[in-house]
Amino acid sequence: MNRKALLVLGVILLTVIACRKADDLIEEQLLAFVQPAHFPEPLYKLASNPITKEKFELGKKLFYDPLLSRDNTISCGSCHISGHAFTHHGHDVSHGIDDRLGIRNSMPLMNLAWNETFFWDGGVIHLDLFPVAPIENEVEMDEKFPNVLKKLNNSPEYQNLFQKAFGSKEITSINMLKAMSQFMLLMVSDQSKYDKVVRKEATFTTEEAAGYSLFKSKCSSCHQEPLFTDHSFRDNGIGINPAGDLGRFEISQLPNDKLKFRVPTLRNLGYTAPFMHDGRFRTLEAVITHYRREVQATENLDPILRENMGISLSDLEVQQLLAFLNTLNDETFIKNPLFQE
Amino acid sequence: MNLKHTLAGLMLLATLFSCSKDNETNFNADKQGQVKLKFDNIVGGKTLVLSSYNYSNGSNEQFNIETLKYFISNIKLTNTKGEIYTVPKKDAYFLVDASKQASLFPTVKVPEGKYQKLEFTLGLDKETNILPLEERTGILDISANDMYWGWNTGYIFFKMEGNSPVSTAKDKKFRYHIGLFGGDKTPTKDNVKVIQVDLTAAGAAEVKENLSSDIHLMVDLGKVFDGPNKISIATNSTVMVGGPNDLIADNYAGMFRHDHTHNFQKLSNE
């Protein structure tokens, strides 16, 4: 072998090694839970479920596996589509097994490590306990949780994956749910223009800045920054729907919870239409119109909205507000291949 | 027999009596014995036999019972000195399931002593309902026993199902699934019931090492319908998170009655 050839070989080898390193680095970076500096501490105790590549990948596989439904047709991913911030885009209420319709609008999945509760009514209190609910819901996956565990335990492929991830091929409620949490925990959305402005990496346009100050005076008492929710249950006066859904009351059975729903985040609204718990508003403009003119004096209407029976905004202010809301869309999150099937 | 003999005999008897009295209070609190709680499920005065016997309630409704399960937890015993012994929380979770004979006789370890009061929770308290997933093992495993609500986080405390011709359900069944622990960060209805049973009248529990004190409780499921509140199957065929679950819980809180205690039983004795 002559010197030239050796040199070429050396360069190739170096490049390969360098590439490897870079790949590994990217993988490691993506597979850690990175606390955004401008977010509060997450409520989820990450120390109780340390993220590993094997567990994350396993959780992802489970999320996209229709085996979790009664007739093996519906996966979590059927209703939670990554390109739409994990909502069931185009459906006001979600479509489940046998085309059965639910009564609620599928929720976006993001920043779940900070949730105090889950669902529009806060019925579930911890992410680790969450997947049992859609699995057993008869209009969603209509399967029995113990049966899902049985199906998984009968699969040599899953036994192998659990062995690799947890060091035991026995699939229990605990390791199965912990793996699913890992996939959902990493769905952190913190790369919107708003986030960049907060981090001083970008600046608002004049219109967006005007919208931001309107937002702070008219909306942020409920849609609190930086997660754009204060996690509370409130009645924003949209009134009861034909399904008679009473929201938080369905869980608590306390009369003063009637028609209260969890304040949703306003991140990624550009991808998650339609809006509200039953998807009754097809556009953001329609939502703003509600706050301006259509608030109903229901029994538990939030005092903030009762004061002026809504929120007064001029046409110009509406445009400014919409421009600001637009800065909450996070394209990096939506396009992240890490979450795609 | 002469007088002398009679006297001697009497004295001996007296000594024997006083001796046995002394022995009775000779407990060593450093040692532990067993307490067995015997849950004897009945309806009115009739034995519970699942999917078999026919029963009736005060609203003159006929029914049978196919499923009966309830959680017992947080067991405490008060001795004659007024000292309370709390069984370690983790050793005091039991699911009484009428279809599983062994589940009807939960046992716990208790320091030696004479106990006059029994206390337990019917259901599971808030602390248990909000346990992290990794601590939900054994009977608390959320995939076991069919006693957990996935969509409204919490265990079902009490489940009774059966058939009744007056049921308004399509399959003519009545289903009472009672839970709700008061909520985690935001409150909900609270149906956790603490049951106090006075053991003095029907026999205190005397606990000795290597022996079992068997506290026999009658559990009258008729009280579910006919307690402080009248519950009719025709009006309420299905009660779960919705419906008068609090009234049913108030009713079943009164279904336990202490019948008798068998003290100093051999440990193997069932």
Side-chain angles (χ1 to χ4, degrees), chain B residues 14 18 54 56-57 104 126 129 147 180 192 199 228 255 262:
Chain B
S18 56
N54 177 53
S56 66
N57 64 22
L104 306 179
K126 173 171 169 169
N129 274 281
M147 290 292 275
L180 295 177
V192 180
L199 305 176
M255 71 181 172
H262 285 302

Side-chain angles (χ1 to χ4, degrees), chain B residues 142 159 249:
Chain B
I142 62 172
K159 185 185 257 192

